[in-house]
Amino acid sequence: MTFAPHSPTPSTDGTADDTANDKVGTVGAAIATATPPSVTSPASEPPAPAVREGREGTEGTEGARRQPSTGRSAGVDGLRAVAAGTVIAYHLHSELLPGGSIGVDVFFGISGFVITRLLLAEFDRTREISLRRFYVRRFLRLGPALMLLCAVVATLALATPLKAFEGQWLAALLAMTYAVNLIRAAQPGPYDHAMGSLPHTWSLGIEEQFYLLWPFALRGLLRRVAARTVVIVVAVLCLAPTVIRFALWDEHAAHRIYNGIDTRADELLLGCLLALLLWHLRENRAALDRIRTWAGRLVWPAAVLLGIAAWKMPITAWVDGWTPAWYTVGFLCVGLLTVTVIAVLVLDESHPLTLLLALPPLAWIGQRLSYGLYLWHYPILAYVGTLGLVPQVRVMLVVTGAVLMAGLSYRFVERPLQRRGQRSAPAPAGSSA
């Protein structure tokens, strides 16, 4: 049996290895077998309240720590950077990090959380959710960088003899229209090479298809039922993809399960659920304190399990017992582990993991470069793979090229258009994903 549930990883001779391969990205923001989803636009955290002497000051500090931040979370930005790095490392050396595509799963959870928090902040201010503002803001955040990448790949395919991009104008078109996951889901055997250097854009397709539906659904629920009911409904919806995966599972359905919006939505929905729960309980300090306490107790086991999965779980290869479990309940479990980590990052700024992930270099990369790194690393890897270089040089060139292109994209494409969008349609603090 051939089992290749992920996109192929470019090999050193310019061909693709079907045994290795994505978020989200938001970015995601997230990665071929993994894809980044979303990255958030810059916003400052609200200032911490002044601390007074004595018991009153202590209570003020504790209250500030319990309240979920409504602004940008540096810890979440750092987690985004780690997720992107995991996916890139997986594509560079899948044998060293066979489960590195799990970074895309983490991106999905981040994206669902951040997007839903933005929508809820707008609802709090206006008692409405502007779908036009949401889609304009999301396009300006993610669309131009992807279109630039696709334009470059299409130009190289049509105007140069480079083997790495031969005939890839159609792949660029499919990536630009967020259709790659649909093509991959329909492939029953090993992935073909039709997507060339852009197979990692499958995860962007899943995110955009999800967000064609989610804002409408959330707005409808908020208009018609109480907040508690919204939380319950979304919690039930989180279980639906697992039921669908069980119904579909068979060893030949791996591509369908891995790339389908209906079979991957639970990781996004779990992020949405966390945002809804914290919003619903925002005035209930005792409940938030209990969530913070339990998340703090569970976060290290959650982080360790995610790390072990990335290090040891060969998601793109068949492993008796593990593979059926992963493709049925595994995605749900990864989503639960991810939201456990996110809960600590937004509820407890003094937790050691929050302090670690909020380190300025990590937060800076997560905020500004993680989306671009995800987009650019795979096409660069596809090209460098045709040069016959030793692995060390290949890694150096891919990382350097991805950082350079991500930085240029952010400086000259993404950020200017984000600013233009913010002037025409102001977004709340922490806008992103």
Side-chain angles (χ1 to χ4, degrees):
M1 178 201 70
T2 302
F3 186 82
H6 303 277
S7 45
T9 299
S11 63
T12 55
D13 64 358
T15 62
D17 175 7
D18 288 321
T19 62
N21 161 75
D22 127 150
K23 107 142 187 212
V24 167
T26 203
V27 316
I31 316 166
T33 290
T35 352
S38 39
V39 189
T40 56
S41 61
S44 58
E45 294 284 354
V51 179
R52 298 181 182 179
E53 295 293 333
R55 179 179 176 182
E56 181 182 355
T58 302
E59 291 176 350
T61 304
E62 283 299 309
R65 187 169 72 162
R66 290 170 188 161
Q67 287 289 90
S69 170
T70 56
R72 177 170 217 102
S73 167
V76 172
D77 283 334
L79 180 62
R80 188 181 283 114
V82 171
T86 300
V87 173
I88 293 171
Y90 163 69
H91 286 155
L92 286 169
H93 283 294
S94 60
E95 68 281 3
L96 298 181
L97 206 64
S101 63
I102 200 173
V104 175
D105 304 68
V106 174
F107 268 120
F108 285 161
I110 293 172
S111 178
F113 174 78
V114 173
I115 287 291
T116 303
R117 189 164 62 163
L118 288 175
L119 294 173
L120 292 171
E122 180 181 0
F123 185 79
D124 271 343
R125 293 195 322 275
T126 66
R127 310 311 297 171
E128 184 55 276
I129 291 176
S130 170
L131 297 175
R132 175 184 175 277
R133 180 178 298 153
F134 170 79
Y135 288 116
V136 167
R137 190 168 63 232
R138 184 157 181 86
F139 172 77
L140 291 176
R141 176 63 194 93
L142 302 179
L146 176 62
M147 288 192 292
L148 172 64
L149 172 69
C150 292
V152 169
V153 170
T155 300
L156 292 173
L158 295 171
T160 73
L162 294 175
K163 183 179 179 181
F165 304 103
E166 184 178 356
Q168 290 189 32
W169 63 270
L170 179 58
L173 179 62
L174 290 171
M176 191 180 298
T177 54
Y178 299 103
V180 172
N181 67 305
L182 303 178
I183 302 300
R184 288 160 56 89
Q187 295 180 347
Y191 289 129
D192 60 32
H193 306 323
M195 292 314 303
S197 61
L198 296 171
H200 63 305
T201 57
W202 72 269
S203 66
L204 303 182
I206 284 185
E207 283 204 31
E208 295 317 302
Q209 291 152 25
F210 179 81
Y211 291 122
L212 285 177
L213 302 174
W214 174 242
F216 286 93
L218 180 62
R219 185 174 71 166
L221 286 169
L222 292 173
R223 284 176 170 179
R224 290 169 175 79
V225 298
R228 178 186 176 89
T229 304
V230 176
V231 172
I232 294 172
V233 169
V234 175
V236 172
L237 286 175
C238 288
L239 301 176
T242 301
V243 175
I244 296 172
R245 290 194 294 266
F246 269 107
L248 290 175
W249 172 250
D250 120 349
E251 61 190 47
H252 302 295
H255 294 173
R256 167 67 180 86
I257 290 173
Y258 195 83
N259 293 278
I261 176 59
D262 55 340
T263 50
R264 297 304 300 275
D266 46 351
E267 293 171 316
L268 287 150
L269 283 168
L270 284 166
C272 300
L273 178 62
L274 176 62
L276 280 164
L277 182 62
L278 298 184
W279 172 74
H280 173 51
L281 300 174
R282 62 194 181 280
E283 303 299 332
N284 188 337
R285 289 194 172 187
L288 289 175
D289 192 47
R290 286 194 294 272
I291 294 173
R292 178 181 63 81
T293 299
W294 278 103
R297 291 171 179 170
L298 296 173
V299 70
W300 287 118
V304 168
L305 287 173
L306 288 172
I308 291 174
W311 179 35
K312 289 293 187 182
M313 178 63 192
I315 297 171
T316 61
W318 180 272
V319 180
D320 288 338
W322 281 106
T323 298
W326 191 271
Y327 278 77
T328 50
V329 299
F331 296 126
L332 178 65
C333 293
V334 171
L336 290 170
L337 296 175
T338 299
V339 296
T340 300
V341 174
I342 296 173
V344 167
L345 298 181
V346 298
L347 286 175
D348 193 348
E349 295 179 354
S350 65
H351 191 280
L353 184 61
T354 305
L355 296 175
L356 176 64
L357 291 175
L359 288 172
L362 277 179
W364 189 88
I365 292 171
Q367 178 181 343
R368 292 171 173 80
L369 299 186
S370 58
Y371 179 53
L373 289 171
Y374 181 74
L375 287 180
W376 286 97
H377 83 278
Y378 204 93
I380 294 172
L381 177 58
Y383 170 67
V384 172
T386 66
L387 303 180
L389 303 172
V390 297
Q392 295 86 341
V393 175
R394 183 179 55 170
V395 169
M396 181 184 68
L397 289 178
V398 171
V399 172
T400 302
V403 170
L404 176 62
M405 294 305 299
L408 291 173
S409 175
Y410 182 82
R411 174 65 179 82
F412 295 107
V413 178
E414 299 168 53
R415 193 63 190 126
L417 289 173
Q418 287 176 44
R419 286 172 175 162
R420 181 176 300 178
Q422 287 167 358
R423 285 196 296 269
S424 62
S431 85
S432 95

PDB file of all heavy atoms in Angstrom, residues 49 59-68 281-292:
ATOM      1  N   PRO A  49      -2.247  47.835  34.738  1.00  0.00           N
ATOM      2  CA  PRO A  49      -2.708  48.769  35.746  1.00  0.00           C
ATOM      3  C   PRO A  49      -1.627  49.030  36.789  1.00  0.00           C
ATOM      4  O   PRO A  49      -0.782  48.181  37.060  1.00  0.00           O
ATOM      5  CB  PRO A  49      -3.907  48.028  36.380  1.00  0.00           C
ATOM      6  CG  PRO A  49      -3.660  46.588  36.086  1.00  0.00           C
ATOM      7  CD  PRO A  49      -2.937  46.546  34.783  1.00  0.00           C
ATOM      8  N   GLU A  59      -4.271  42.481  44.900  1.00  0.00           N
ATOM      9  CA  GLU A  59      -5.492  42.071  44.229  1.00  0.00           C
ATOM     10  C   GLU A  59      -5.564  42.661  42.839  1.00  0.00           C
ATOM     11  O   GLU A  59      -6.019  42.022  41.888  1.00  0.00           O
ATOM     12  CB  GLU A  59      -6.705  42.489  45.053  1.00  0.00           C
ATOM     13  CG  GLU A  59      -6.821  41.705  46.359  1.00  0.00           C
ATOM     14  CD  GLU A  59      -7.984  42.195  47.204  1.00  0.00           C
ATOM     15  OE1 GLU A  59      -8.551  43.240  46.846  1.00  0.00           O
ATOM     16  OE2 GLU A  59      -8.308  41.544  48.201  1.00  0.00           O
ATOM     17  N   GLY A  60      -5.097  43.896  42.675  1.00  0.00           N
ATOM     18  CA  GLY A  60      -5.108  44.512  41.353  1.00  0.00           C
ATOM     19  C   GLY A  60      -4.219  43.761  40.388  1.00  0.00           C
ATOM     20  O   GLY A  60      -4.574  43.533  39.237  1.00  0.00           O
ATOM     21  N   THR A  61      -3.052  43.350  40.867  1.00  0.00           N
ATOM     22  CA  THR A  61      -2.144  42.599  40.002  1.00  0.00           C
ATOM     23  C   THR A  61      -2.730  41.257  39.618  1.00  0.00           C
ATOM     24  O   THR A  61      -2.676  40.829  38.471  1.00  0.00           O
ATOM     25  CB  THR A  61      -0.804  42.386  40.725  1.00  0.00           C
ATOM     26  OG1 THR A  61      -0.283  43.648  41.100  1.00  0.00           O
ATOM     27  CG2 THR A  61       0.188  41.667  39.825  1.00  0.00           C
ATOM     28  N   GLU A  62      -3.319  40.555  40.601  1.00  0.00           N
ATOM     29  CA  GLU A  62      -3.916  39.259  40.314  1.00  0.00           C
ATOM     30  C   GLU A  62      -5.077  39.401  39.337  1.00  0.00           C
ATOM     31  O   GLU A  62      -5.255  38.593  38.436  1.00  0.00           O
ATOM     32  CB  GLU A  62      -4.411  38.605  41.618  1.00  0.00           C
ATOM     33  CG  GLU A  62      -3.295  38.010  42.432  1.00  0.00           C
ATOM     34  CD  GLU A  62      -2.577  36.917  41.665  1.00  0.00           C
ATOM     35  OE1 GLU A  62      -3.238  36.005  41.131  1.00  0.00           O
ATOM     36  OE2 GLU A  62      -1.354  36.984  41.578  1.00  0.00           O
ATOM     37  N   GLY A  63      -5.878  40.468  39.525  1.00  0.00           N
ATOM     38  CA  GLY A  63      -7.000  40.676  38.611  1.00  0.00           C
ATOM     39  C   GLY A  63      -6.540  40.901  37.211  1.00  0.00           C
ATOM     40  O   GLY A  63      -7.113  40.384  36.246  1.00  0.00           O
ATOM     41  N   ALA A  64      -5.464  41.678  37.064  1.00  0.00           N
ATOM     42  CA  ALA A  64      -4.945  41.930  35.721  1.00  0.00           C
ATOM     43  C   ALA A  64      -4.462  40.638  35.086  1.00  0.00           C
ATOM     44  O   ALA A  64      -4.610  40.413  33.893  1.00  0.00           O
ATOM     45  CB  ALA A  64      -3.809  42.941  35.778  1.00  0.00           C
ATOM     46  N   ARG A  65      -3.861  39.771  35.905  1.00  0.00           N
ATOM     47  CA  ARG A  65      -3.341  38.533  35.353  1.00  0.00           C
ATOM     48  C   ARG A  65      -4.469  37.594  34.954  1.00  0.00           C
ATOM     49  O   ARG A  65      -4.358  36.848  34.002  1.00  0.00           O
ATOM     50  CB  ARG A  65      -2.424  37.859  36.374  1.00  0.00           C
ATOM     51  CG  ARG A  65      -1.709  36.664  35.805  1.00  0.00           C
ATOM     52  CD  ARG A  65      -0.622  36.149  36.690  1.00  0.00           C
ATOM     53  NE  ARG A  65      -1.133  35.484  37.863  1.00  0.00           N
ATOM     54  CZ  ARG A  65      -0.407  34.659  38.621  1.00  0.00           C
ATOM     55  NH1 ARG A  65       0.849  34.435  38.319  1.00  0.00           N
ATOM     56  NH2 ARG A  65      -0.930  34.087  39.676  1.00  0.00           N
ATOM     57  N   ARG A  66      -5.594  37.651  35.677  1.00  0.00           N
ATOM     58  CA  ARG A  66      -6.697  36.746  35.374  1.00  0.00           C
ATOM     59  C   ARG A  66      -7.459  37.160  34.123  1.00  0.00           C
ATOM     60  O   ARG A  66      -8.000  36.339  33.427  1.00  0.00           O
ATOM     61  CB  ARG A  66      -7.678  36.704  36.554  1.00  0.00           C
ATOM     62  CG  ARG A  66      -7.126  36.016  37.782  1.00  0.00           C
ATOM     63  CD  ARG A  66      -8.060  36.231  38.949  1.00  0.00           C
ATOM     64  NE  ARG A  66      -7.482  35.761  40.194  1.00  0.00           N
ATOM     65  CZ  ARG A  66      -7.900  36.143  41.383  1.00  0.00           C
ATOM     66  NH1 ARG A  66      -8.876  37.019  41.495  1.00  0.00           N
ATOM     67  NH2 ARG A  66      -7.341  35.668  42.475  1.00  0.00           N
ATOM     68  N   GLN A  67      -7.541  38.484  33.885  1.00  0.00           N
ATOM     69  CA  GLN A  67      -8.317  38.954  32.769  1.00  0.00           C
ATOM     70  C   GLN A  67      -7.657  38.574  31.451  1.00  0.00           C
ATOM     71  O   GLN A  67      -6.478  38.820  31.259  1.00  0.00           O
ATOM     72  CB  GLN A  67      -8.460  40.479  32.844  1.00  0.00           C
ATOM     73  CG  GLN A  67      -9.417  40.957  33.923  1.00  0.00           C
ATOM     74  CD  GLN A  67     -10.845  40.630  33.559  1.00  0.00           C
ATOM     75  OE1 GLN A  67     -11.335  39.571  33.906  1.00  0.00           O
ATOM     76  NE2 GLN A  67     -11.508  41.521  32.872  1.00  0.00           N
ATOM     77  N   PRO A  68      -8.391  37.981  30.513  1.00  0.00           N
ATOM     78  CA  PRO A  68      -7.804  37.687  29.214  1.00  0.00           C
ATOM     79  C   PRO A  68      -7.503  38.974  28.474  1.00  0.00           C
ATOM     80  O   PRO A  68      -8.340  39.859  28.387  1.00  0.00           O
ATOM     81  CB  PRO A  68      -8.901  36.878  28.502  1.00  0.00           C
ATOM     82  CG  PRO A  68     -10.170  37.233  29.187  1.00  0.00           C
ATOM     83  CD  PRO A  68      -9.805  37.564  30.606  1.00  0.00           C
ATOM     84  N   LEU A 281     -16.983  34.475  29.611  1.00  0.00           N
ATOM     85  CA  LEU A 281     -16.649  34.539  31.039  1.00  0.00           C
ATOM     86  C   LEU A 281     -15.835  35.779  31.399  1.00  0.00           C
ATOM     87  O   LEU A 281     -15.275  35.838  32.493  1.00  0.00           O
ATOM     88  CB  LEU A 281     -15.856  33.286  31.429  1.00  0.00           C
ATOM     89  CG  LEU A 281     -16.568  31.943  31.227  1.00  0.00           C
ATOM     90  CD1 LEU A 281     -15.624  30.793  31.514  1.00  0.00           C
ATOM     91  CD2 LEU A 281     -17.819  31.858  32.112  1.00  0.00           C
ATOM     92  N   ARG A 282     -15.785  36.765  30.526  1.00  0.00           N
ATOM     93  CA  ARG A 282     -14.871  37.888  30.731  1.00  0.00           C
ATOM     94  C   ARG A 282     -15.132  38.673  32.005  1.00  0.00           C
ATOM     95  O   ARG A 282     -14.229  39.305  32.541  1.00  0.00           O
ATOM     96  CB  ARG A 282     -14.916  38.822  29.514  1.00  0.00           C
ATOM     97  CG  ARG A 282     -16.267  39.457  29.238  1.00  0.00           C
ATOM     98  CD  ARG A 282     -16.292  40.065  27.832  1.00  0.00           C
ATOM     99  NE  ARG A 282     -17.553  40.709  27.506  1.00  0.00           N
ATOM    100  CZ  ARG A 282     -18.643  40.073  27.121  1.00  0.00           C
ATOM    101  NH1 ARG A 282     -18.637  38.747  27.051  1.00  0.00           N
ATOM    102  NH2 ARG A 282     -19.752  40.730  26.818  1.00  0.00           N
ATOM    103  N   GLU A 283     -16.369  38.637  32.507  1.00  0.00           N
ATOM    104  CA  GLU A 283     -16.681  39.336  33.752  1.00  0.00           C
ATOM    105  C   GLU A 283     -16.659  38.402  34.963  1.00  0.00           C
ATOM    106  O   GLU A 283     -16.887  38.851  36.083  1.00  0.00           O
ATOM    107  CB  GLU A 283     -18.055  40.005  33.642  1.00  0.00           C
ATOM    108  CG  GLU A 283     -18.190  40.989  32.483  1.00  0.00           C
ATOM    109  CD  GLU A 283     -17.206  42.144  32.601  1.00  0.00           C
ATOM    110  OE1 GLU A 283     -16.813  42.492  33.737  1.00  0.00           O
ATOM    111  OE2 GLU A 283     -16.815  42.690  31.557  1.00  0.00           O
ATOM    112  N   ASN A 284     -16.410  37.144  34.737  1.00  0.00           N
ATOM    113  CA  ASN A 284     -16.433  36.157  35.814  1.00  0.00           C
ATOM    114  C   ASN A 284     -14.991  35.805  36.187  1.00  0.00           C
ATOM    115  O   ASN A 284     -14.412  34.856  35.670  1.00  0.00           O
ATOM    116  CB  ASN A 284     -17.198  34.907  35.363  1.00  0.00           C
ATOM    117  CG  ASN A 284     -17.432  33.927  36.486  1.00  0.00           C
ATOM    118  OD1 ASN A 284     -16.708  33.923  37.486  1.00  0.00           O
ATOM    119  ND2 ASN A 284     -18.427  33.064  36.327  1.00  0.00           N
ATOM    120  N   ARG A 285     -14.417  36.565  37.090  1.00  0.00           N
ATOM    121  CA  ARG A 285     -13.013  36.380  37.428  1.00  0.00           C
ATOM    122  C   ARG A 285     -12.738  35.023  38.069  1.00  0.00           C
ATOM    123  O   ARG A 285     -11.682  34.439  37.864  1.00  0.00           O
ATOM    124  CB  ARG A 285     -12.540  37.503  38.343  1.00  0.00           C
ATOM    125  CG  ARG A 285     -12.430  38.838  37.626  1.00  0.00           C
ATOM    126  CD  ARG A 285     -11.639  39.825  38.451  1.00  0.00           C
ATOM    127  NE  ARG A 285     -11.368  41.032  37.697  1.00  0.00           N
ATOM    128  CZ  ARG A 285     -10.582  42.010  38.141  1.00  0.00           C
ATOM    129  NH1 ARG A 285     -10.010  41.891  39.333  1.00  0.00           N
ATOM    130  NH2 ARG A 285     -10.378  43.092  37.412  1.00  0.00           N
ATOM    131  N   ALA A 286     -13.699  34.525  38.839  1.00  0.00           N
ATOM    132  CA  ALA A 286     -13.489  33.218  39.483  1.00  0.00           C
ATOM    133  C   ALA A 286     -13.371  32.117  38.433  1.00  0.00           C
ATOM    134  O   ALA A 286     -12.504  31.242  38.517  1.00  0.00           O
ATOM    135  CB  ALA A 286     -14.638  32.921  40.447  1.00  0.00           C
ATOM    136  N   ALA A 287     -14.235  32.168  37.417  1.00  0.00           N
ATOM    137  CA  ALA A 287     -14.187  31.152  36.368  1.00  0.00           C
ATOM    138  C   ALA A 287     -12.897  31.275  35.555  1.00  0.00           C
ATOM    139  O   ALA A 287     -12.254  30.265  35.236  1.00  0.00           O
ATOM    140  CB  ALA A 287     -15.401  31.292  35.452  1.00  0.00           C
ATOM    141  N   LEU A 288     -12.507  32.503  35.222  1.00  0.00           N
ATOM    142  CA  LEU A 288     -11.261  32.701  34.485  1.00  0.00           C
ATOM    143  C   LEU A 288     -10.065  32.214  35.294  1.00  0.00           C
ATOM    144  O   LEU A 288      -9.113  31.656  34.741  1.00  0.00           O
ATOM    145  CB  LEU A 288     -11.081  34.183  34.129  1.00  0.00           C
ATOM    146  CG  LEU A 288     -12.018  34.742  33.054  1.00  0.00           C
ATOM    147  CD1 LEU A 288     -11.798  36.240  32.899  1.00  0.00           C
ATOM    148  CD2 LEU A 288     -11.794  34.032  31.724  1.00  0.00           C
ATOM    149  N   ASP A 289     -10.139  32.422  36.596  1.00  0.00           N
ATOM    150  CA  ASP A 289      -9.043  31.974  37.451  1.00  0.00           C
ATOM    151  C   ASP A 289      -8.937  30.454  37.458  1.00  0.00           C
ATOM    152  O   ASP A 289      -7.839  29.893  37.437  1.00  0.00           O
ATOM    153  CB  ASP A 289      -9.257  32.500  38.871  1.00  0.00           C
ATOM    154  CG  ASP A 289      -8.020  32.332  39.733  1.00  0.00           C
ATOM    155  OD1 ASP A 289      -6.922  32.682  39.262  1.00  0.00           O
ATOM    156  OD2 ASP A 289      -8.149  31.830  40.866  1.00  0.00           O
ATOM    157  N   ARG A 290     -10.089  29.786  37.447  1.00  0.00           N
ATOM    158  CA  ARG A 290     -10.062  28.312  37.405  1.00  0.00           C
ATOM    159  C   ARG A 290      -9.493  27.818  36.074  1.00  0.00           C
ATOM    160  O   ARG A 290      -8.708  26.859  36.040  1.00  0.00           O
ATOM    161  CB  ARG A 290     -11.480  27.760  37.616  1.00  0.00           C
ATOM    162  CG  ARG A 290     -11.981  27.856  39.043  1.00  0.00           C
ATOM    163  CD  ARG A 290     -13.217  27.000  39.253  1.00  0.00           C
ATOM    164  NE  ARG A 290     -14.350  27.489  38.479  1.00  0.00           N
ATOM    165  CZ  ARG A 290     -15.211  28.402  38.901  1.00  0.00           C
ATOM    166  NH1 ARG A 290     -15.054  28.959  40.102  1.00  0.00           N
ATOM    167  NH2 ARG A 290     -16.222  28.775  38.149  1.00  0.00           N
ATOM    168  N   ILE A 291      -9.884  28.467  34.987  1.00  0.00           N
ATOM    169  CA  ILE A 291      -9.345  28.077  33.677  1.00  0.00           C
ATOM    170  C   ILE A 291      -7.837  28.304  33.641  1.00  0.00           C
ATOM    171  O   ILE A 291      -7.070  27.452  33.167  1.00  0.00           O
ATOM    172  CB  ILE A 291     -10.035  28.878  32.554  1.00  0.00           C
ATOM    173  CG1 ILE A 291     -11.511  28.495  32.466  1.00  0.00           C
ATOM    174  CG2 ILE A 291      -9.339  28.627  31.205  1.00  0.00           C
ATOM    175  CD1 ILE A 291     -12.308  29.350  31.496  1.00  0.00           C
ATOM    176  N   ARG A 292      -7.413  29.443  34.157  1.00  0.00           N
ATOM    177  CA  ARG A 292      -5.980  29.746  34.165  1.00  0.00           C
ATOM    178  C   ARG A 292      -5.212  28.723  34.997  1.00  0.00           C
ATOM    179  O   ARG A 292      -4.149  28.240  34.595  1.00  0.00           O
ATOM    180  CB  ARG A 292      -5.736  31.147  34.727  1.00  0.00           C
ATOM    181  CG  ARG A 292      -4.254  31.523  34.818  1.00  0.00           C
ATOM    182  CD  ARG A 292      -4.092  32.904  35.405  1.00  0.00           C
ATOM    183  NE  ARG A 292      -4.593  32.980  36.766  1.00  0.00           N
ATOM    184  CZ  ARG A 292      -3.922  32.584  37.838  1.00  0.00           C
ATOM    185  NH1 ARG A 292      -2.716  32.054  37.714  1.00  0.00           N
ATOM    186  NH2 ARG A 292      -4.455  32.701  39.036  1.00  0.00           N
TER     187      ARG A 292
END
